[in-house]
């Protein structure tokens, strides 16, 4: 690498934008819309500009690529890209615009392979074509679905109005069941040109044909000593080891994997379409249901994204110090909860059926008790708000005895937390470590299996433990700090072998680092006891200033980002124009296929378990 | 599992001698069937979404599903008796779910866990979401919650056991699997332009014909929401008074109670706001007149209520 290139990699984002404009004067211009940042790149030279960004300016990590439909405002669609440096710093945001009627944007898969699934999603939901994409077909819906549902002019069967609260519910107060209004009594809607004579379920057939596979067994390897067959194995969506309703189509040569194709969308519950109709605050409980094991962290990411927008307005006051302390407390406890679950079920996938998981779940329950006492729900906490949290910590954690196997609980909250953080959790982490880390079976099943080299991990936009176990010390809490993380003392856990074993070890490391953070939070909680948890006015439907924002947090599973656009109303809309979730589970799966090739079929579930996916977030 | 106690099974009036107690049971075939069935309910190992996490927590050590003979979760539908639909059912997923249901041997039961499986839940309006699994397969027990706590799921499972206890060999409407021959499988939905339920094929064909002719299709005529007649208070009051008068003739004590109730009701109505009561009958369910929403009045009421509380 030349000295000049090294120098270029050190300029900040403004400098990088200036360099881009200097290098490509015709293709790159500033995004001058109110509240927007970054540059607009002419789509014809998009690949060229992106390559320059990656190779010369050092933006090697494409975090998010997502479309926005500006139907009714500008009559165009655009792809928004957020590129980062794995050495840290803020994003270089760039966009490519296209006509709505013949939407076409060159594919960036060649530059950043991590764009693969995100571009397929853009085709599926928005109908944008990506010339140059090797495998452009629907990903969340099935082949043959009518239309591209995320377009603003596409309406579903139960469509009532563009924005909530609906006129019918407020102020009149009556509700009619949506089924009554549909002639089929169901959530279905058929196009006018429905031809019943040609009706057949082609989704399965297309799936296999597109892979270049028949369903027949093919004889292989007549030269070799061992004769093998090529066969196709379908795993899922109903399979105990796919962590939900995930599906994989595996091509095998004998027992060795030749290729693996993930098929998803079995839990695609239209999070983003519903999110565009909701008010900003309505979306908070929906974020709980993304990564349903770590709802508190999901809340924080969304709160940060909307707070960035709110901060541009006049009537906004940032969260108080106590609110920030409570937020970090919740988020770090969530990380521990998630890693308990991940380790327990990784061992399940390795064949240690349920015993390690039972130990992990038992510890998880202790933290859930605290969540339930604070937020009112074990799993779907719905706890964060824009500018604070929903409620202060309770004085006591209490329950009454119920019939079903429950004891009376009554603890002082701080005592409970202190015991949990100083004794219980460290003890149980050590317990897992003692019994699992040196196990002969685990070592022989995991060491060297599912190797992901660091450059590939970056290229595939992998995030979280998956990226850090491959030797890339990239953690959003350090790379672009938020909340009170700058003042906390912790290390970014990193391991260098990039196999399943390291992904397991790094989760133990991260839990220990979380405990270290939590220990620093306890005195802060004591010190801020009784202080305000909410600085500004509590607004139910805040008017959010127009503009865009990208809030990202280090979720237990990786980098969780929310891209929120507020547009369409000069006074500041009450509903997001675009609400996109950059889901770590979804993008981490891009690397699943390449990681599995060459291993045995039994390793697939272990490799999948080591990525730690949650389908609520993968399919949204 | 608890020790086998034959006394649980005794179901007839035939007395069993004391020395035979616990060794012999005289019972009906229905009861024996139900008892065995409810005590070894094997669920399908099958999770859809968030609720599956609570289902796993229910099976884990703290809530311990095995106390009910249900810990044996089978990954194959061929070996299971109960399908716990734990999460949002999407159009893409309902096809495998119906297929799994068809593959389960009879007798089989379905428990809809959570708001989504029961009726679509928070995601109901989504274009890829089915408004409840009961649109496609029959459901025995619904467990509300989002997600239901493990206690709620256990309660639902106990409710299912009670339901099984009440089933009878003699009643084939209640338990279809005692009929002659195997029962019909549920038709598997087709993924066309949208999901197609084969049972609705006629309706879809008629609508498609309308569409082909260029007529409006997929439209449903609905009765207006506002009720046509609005009975006024003066007409209702005499009706309410009449039974009181009749009761007075039969039983003076009852008439006294009725009178007190009427008085209390009148006081309550007077307190709610005299103006509104004079015009309409707010408490009578027969009168459907919708009260016009008045935000200012509501806020005023709330303020008064707060002030009176001190």
């Amino acid at each position: 690498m030349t000295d000049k290139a090294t120098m270029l990699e050190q300029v900040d984002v403004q400098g990088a934008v200036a360099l881009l404009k200097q290098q490509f004067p015709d293709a790159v211009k500033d995004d001058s819309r109110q509240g927007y940042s970054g540059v607009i790149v002419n789509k014809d030279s998009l690949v060229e500009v992106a390559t320059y960004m990656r190779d010369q300016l050092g933006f090697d990590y494409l975090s998010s690529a997502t479309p926005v439909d500006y139907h009714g405002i500008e009559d165009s669609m655009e792809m928004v890209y957020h590129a980062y440096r794995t050495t840290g710093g803020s994003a270089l945001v760039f966009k490519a615009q296209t006509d709505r009627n013949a939407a076409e944007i060159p594919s960036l898969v060649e530059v950043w392979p991590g764009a693969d699934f995100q571009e397929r999603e853009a085709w599926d939901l928005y109908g944008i074509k990506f010339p140059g994409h090797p495998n452009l077909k629907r990903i969340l819906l099935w082949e043959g679905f009518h239309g591209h549902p995320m377009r603003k002019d596409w309406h579903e069967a139960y469509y009532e109005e563009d924005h909530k609260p609906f006129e019918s519910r407020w102020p009149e107060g009556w509700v009619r069941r949506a089924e009554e209004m549909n002639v089929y009594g169901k959530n279905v809607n058929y196009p006018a040109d429905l031809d019943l004579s040609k009706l057949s379920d082609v989704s399965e057939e297309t799936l296999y044909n597109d892979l270049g596979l028949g369903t027949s067994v093919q004889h292989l390897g007549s030269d070799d000593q061992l004769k093998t067959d090529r066969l196709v194995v379908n795993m899922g969506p109903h399979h105990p080891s796919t962590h939900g309703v995930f599906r994989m189509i595996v091509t095998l040569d004998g027992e060795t994997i030749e290729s693996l194709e993930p098929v998803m969308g079995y839990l695609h519950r239209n999070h983003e379409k519903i999110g565009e109709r909701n008010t900003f605050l309505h979306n908070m409980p929906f974020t709980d249901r993304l990564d349903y094991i770590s709802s508190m962290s999901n809340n924080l990411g969304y709160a940060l994204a909307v707070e960035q927008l709110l901060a541009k307005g006049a009537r906004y006051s940032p969260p108080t110090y106590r609110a920030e302390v409570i937020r970090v407390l919740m988020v770090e406890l969530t990380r521990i909860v998630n890693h308990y679950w991940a380790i327990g079920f990784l061992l399940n996938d390795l064949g240690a059926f349920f015993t390690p998981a039972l130990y992990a779940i038992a510890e998880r329950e202790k933290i859930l008790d605290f969540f339930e006492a604070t937020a009112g729900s074990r799993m779907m906490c719905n706890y964060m708000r824009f500018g604070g949290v929903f409620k202060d910590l309770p004085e006591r954690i209490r329950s009454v005895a119920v019939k079903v196997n429950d004891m009376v609980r009554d603890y002082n909250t701080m005592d409970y937390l202190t015991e949990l953080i100083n004794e219980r959790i460290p003890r149980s982490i050590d317990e897992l470590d003692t019994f699992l880390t040196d196990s002969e079976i685990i070592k022989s099943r995991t060491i060297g299996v599912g190797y992901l080299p660091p450059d590939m991990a970056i290229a595939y936009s992998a995030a979280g433990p998956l990226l850090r176990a491959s030797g890339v010390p990239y953690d959003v809490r350090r790379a672009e700090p938020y909340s009170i993380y700058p003042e906390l003392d912790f290390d970014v856990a990193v391991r260098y072998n990039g196999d399943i074993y390291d992904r397991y070890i790094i989760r133990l490391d991260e839990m220990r680092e979380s405990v270290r953070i939590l220990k620093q939070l306890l005195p802060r909680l004591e010190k801020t006891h009784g202080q305000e948890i909410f600085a500004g006015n509590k607004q139910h439907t805040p008017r959010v200033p127009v503009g865009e924002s990208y809030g990202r947090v280090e979720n237990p599973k990786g980098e969780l980002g929310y891209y929120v656009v507020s547009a369409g109303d000069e006074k500041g809309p009450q509903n997001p124009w675009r609400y996109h979730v950059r889901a770590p589970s979804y993008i981490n799966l891009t690397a699943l296929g390449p990681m599995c090739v060459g291993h045995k079929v039994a390793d697939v579930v272990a490799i999948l378990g080591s990525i730690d996916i949650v389908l609520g977030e993968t399919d949204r | 599992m608890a020790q086998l106690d034959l006394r649980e099974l005794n179901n007839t009036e035939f007395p069993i001698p004391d020395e035979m107690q616990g060794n012999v049971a005289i019972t009906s075939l229905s009861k024996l069937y139900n008892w065995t069935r409810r005590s070894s309910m094997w669920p399908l190992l099958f999770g859809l979404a968030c609720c599956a996490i609570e289902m796993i927590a229910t099976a884990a050590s703290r809530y311990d599903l095995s106390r009910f003979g249900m810990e044996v979760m089978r990954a194959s539908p061929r070996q299971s008796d109960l399908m716990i639909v734990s999460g949002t059912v999407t159009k893409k997923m309902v096809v495998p779910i119906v297929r799994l249901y068809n593959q389960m041997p009879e007798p089989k039961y379905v428990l809809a866990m959570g708001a989504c499986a029961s009726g679509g839940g928070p995601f109901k309006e989504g274009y890829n979401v089915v408004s409840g699994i009961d649109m496609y397969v029959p459901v025995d027990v619904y467990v509300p919650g989002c997600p239901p706590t493990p206690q709620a799921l256990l309660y639902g499972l106990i409710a299912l056991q009670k339901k099984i206890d009440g089933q009878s060999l003699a009643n084939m409407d209640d338990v279809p699997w005692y009929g002659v021959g195997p029962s019909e499988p549920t038709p598997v939905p087709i993924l066309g332009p949208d999901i197609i339920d084969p049972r609705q094929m006629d309706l879809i064909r008629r609508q498609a014909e309308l569409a082909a002719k260029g007529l409006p299709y997929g439209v449903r005529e609905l009765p207006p929401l506002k009720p046509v007649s609005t009975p006024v208070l003066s007409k209702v009051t005499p009706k309410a008074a009449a039974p009181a008068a009749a009761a007075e003739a039969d039983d003076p004590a009852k008439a006294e109670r009725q009178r007190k109730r009427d008085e209390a009701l009148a006081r309550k109505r007077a307190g709610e706001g005299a103006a509104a009561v004079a015009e309409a009958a707010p408490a009578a369910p027969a009168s459907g007149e919708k009260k016009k929403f008045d935000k200012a009045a509501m806020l005023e009421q709330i303020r008064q209520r707060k002030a009176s509380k001190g």
Side-chain angles (χ1 to χ4, degrees), chain A residues 503-514:
Chain A
R503 277 172 226 143
Y504 152 71
I505 295 279
I506 203 168
R507 293 204 163 91
L508 285 180
D509 294 347
E510 284 193 7
M511 283 162 85
R512 293 207 166 103
E513 289 302 322
S514 289

Side-chain angles (χ1 to χ4, degrees), chain B:
Chain B
M1 199 54 224
Q3 223 182 341
L4 174 64
D5 187 356
L6 286 174
R7 274 167 296 197
E8 271 182 45
L9 278 172
N10 282 339
N11 192 28
T12 50
E13 64 271 25
F14 297 111
I16 299 173
D18 284 347
E19 68 270 24
M20 305 290 269
Q21 285 278 352
N23 293 320
V24 170
I26 302 173
T27 185
S28 65
L29 202 52
S30 285
K31 178 129 187 178
L32 186 67
Y33 268 31
N34 293 340
W35 173 76
T36 51
R37 191 164 289 152
R38 65 168 335 251
S39 313
S40 62
M41 190 61 96
W42 289 7
L44 183 61
L45 177 52
F46 169 61
L48 286 179
C50 335
C51 288
I53 306 296
E54 285 297 53
M55 186 173 77
I56 295 168
T58 315
S61 42
R62 189 181 195 181
Y63 298 98
D64 197 10
L65 204 52
S66 53
R67 288 173 297 161
F68 305 93
M70 291 183 184
E71 83 282 19
V72 197
M73 293 219 176
R74 307 309 294 180
S76 165
R78 305 281 185 203
Q79 300 169 338
S80 35
D81 312 298
L82 165 67
M83 179 192 260
I84 301 178
V85 185
S86 53
T88 315
V89 184
T90 61
K91 288 178 184 171
K92 211 171 170 178
M93 192 59 204
V94 76
V95 181
I97 291 178
V98 172
R99 210 171 280 147
L100 286 170
Y101 179 77
N102 286 341
Q103 287 176 8
M104 284 165 67
E106 289 177 322
K108 52 189 170 187
Y109 301 92
V110 178
L111 185 142
M113 181 182 181
C116 293
S118 305
F123 300 97
K124 180 175 174 179
E125 65 192 282
Y127 50 85
N128 193 28
V129 176
V130 171
S131 315
I133 187 61
D134 55 359
M135 295 270 180
Y136 292 91
V137 296
V139 174
D140 294 279
V141 177
Y142 298 87
V143 180
C146 190
T149 55
Q151 291 97 323
L153 178 62
L154 286 177
Y155 184 75
L157 291 168
I158 294 168
L160 179 66
Q161 290 189 327
K162 281 187 184 154
K163 178 172 178 166
I164 296 170
D165 280 341
Q167 289 184 330
S168 155
L169 282 171
N171 187 355
M172 283 186 202
D173 297 336
D174 194 21
V175 267
W177 37 82
Y178 293 134
V180 183
S183 55
E184 287 287 308
T186 310
V188 180
I190 303 162
L191 291 175
D194 204 329
I195 195 157
I196 291 171
D197 188 350
R199 291 170 298 188
Q200 279 190 322
M201 216 44 132
D202 282 343
L203 179 64
I204 296 168
R205 189 170 293 122
R206 281 201 301 278
Q207 296 290 332
E209 279 165 12
L210 284 178
K213 284 178 197 158
L215 294 167
Y217 70 101
V219 191
R220 165 167 259 186
E221 289 293 322
L222 277 178
L225 264 163
K226 289 189 178 176
V228 188
S229 65
T230 49
V232 276
L233 188 62
S234 56
K235 280 186 188 168
V236 178
T237 323
K239 272 188 192 167
E248 204 171 310
D250 297 342
D251 186 354
K254 204 174 170 186
E256 179 64 21
R257 276 205 303 277
Q258 181 71 34
R259 195 180 56 75
K260 277 185 180 165
R261 246 181 69 194
D262 285 347
E263 273 177 18
L265 202 63
R267 270 202 304 278
K268 197 180 163 209
R269 280 180 191 171
E272 270 177 1
V277 176
E279 290 299 317
S287 87
E289 206 220 24
K290 193 153 46 63
K291 255 165 81 177
K292 196 78 182 160
F293 183 81
D294 187 356
K295 197 176 174 187
M298 187 189 77
L299 289 174
E300 183 56 37
Q301 252 182 37
I302 292 170
R303 221 168 285 135
Q304 277 175 5
R305 219 173 291 153
K306 273 186 184 166
S308 67
K309 271 184 192 169

Side-chain angles (χ1 to χ4, degrees), chain A residues 319-555:
Chain A
T320 58
Y321 187 70
R322 182 164 174 85
E324 295 281 21
V325 173
I326 294 177
R327 280 179 174 192
V328 175
L329 170 80
M330 293 302 184
V331 167
E332 293 304 325
L333 282 174
T334 304
R335 194 179 314 279
I336 292 172
V337 164
N338 181 77
H339 287 350
Y340 275 136
W341 195 268
I343 292 173
F345 280 83
L346 173 65
L347 267 291
N348 233 18
D349 293 342
L350 288 171
F353 198 67
F354 245 109
T355 308
L358 283 179
Y359 276 81
I361 293 170
E363 293 304 322
R364 172 182 177 261
E365 291 283 340
K366 301 289 169 204
I367 302 178
L368 292 198
D369 282 347
F370 171 63
F371 285 170
E372 190 176 16
T374 312
S377 177
R378 283 159 52 86
M379 277 170 66
M380 306 302 171
C381 300
N382 184 15
Y383 186 61
M384 315 267 171
R385 294 290 181 272
F386 312 134
V389 293
F390 153 66
K391 218 174 172 186
D392 206 340
L393 303 184
E395 286 297 317
R396 299 192 79 78
I397 294 178
R398 245 186 222 142
S399 80
V400 287
V402 289
K403 268 185 192 166
V404 185
N405 195 20
D406 206 350
M407 291 176 293
V408 183
R409 304 192 298 260
D410 189 4
Y411 308 97
N412 181 299
T413 307
M414 285 310 293
D415 292 349
Y416 185 83
L417 272 180
T418 312
E419 204 235 327
L420 195 69
I421 292 168
N422 286 330
E423 286 163 40
R424 259 208 101 93
I425 298 178
R427 196 164 60 215
S428 68
I429 298 171
D430 289 346
E431 188 183 49
L432 288 175
D433 197 359
T434 311
F435 287 118
L436 304 179
T437 309
D438 290 330
S439 159
E440 189 59 38
I441 298 173
I442 291 172
K443 279 185 165 173
S444 55
R445 280 292 308 273
T446 58
I447 292 181
V449 177
Y451 174 57
L452 185 67
D455 52 336
M456 258 172 81
I458 295 171
Y460 282 118
S461 302
L466 183 63
L467 180 68
R468 288 192 289 272
S470 291
V472 185
Y474 186 75
D475 187 317
V476 183
R477 292 175 293 175
R478 278 278 184 255
E480 200 186 1
Y482 51 92
S483 199
I484 57 165
Y485 281 111
E487 63 173 75
L488 294 170
D489 180 27
F490 69 100
D491 292 326
V492 175
V494 62
R495 294 270 163 173
Y496 298 93
N497 294 324
D499 54 5
I500 302 180
Y501 190 67
D502 270 19
R503 277 172 226 143
Y504 152 71
I505 295 279
I506 203 168
R507 293 204 163 91
L508 285 180
D509 294 347
E510 284 193 7
M511 283 162 85
R512 293 207 166 103
E513 289 302 322
S514 289
V515 170
R516 205 169 136 196
I517 294 175
L518 288 168
K519 282 182 180 165
Q520 299 167 47
L521 290 176
L522 284 173
R524 287 177 167 80
L525 276 176
E526 295 280 8
K527 210 164 65 188
T528 57
H529 182 81
Q531 290 180 11
E532 282 293 308
I533 51 152
F534 220 96
N537 280 340
K538 287 188 183 176
Q539 289 172 289
H540 290 287
T541 47
R543 287 198 173 272
V544 177
V546 292
E548 60 168 4
S549 74
Y550 185 63
R552 56 178 199 150
V553 288
E554 187 64 39
N555 230 32

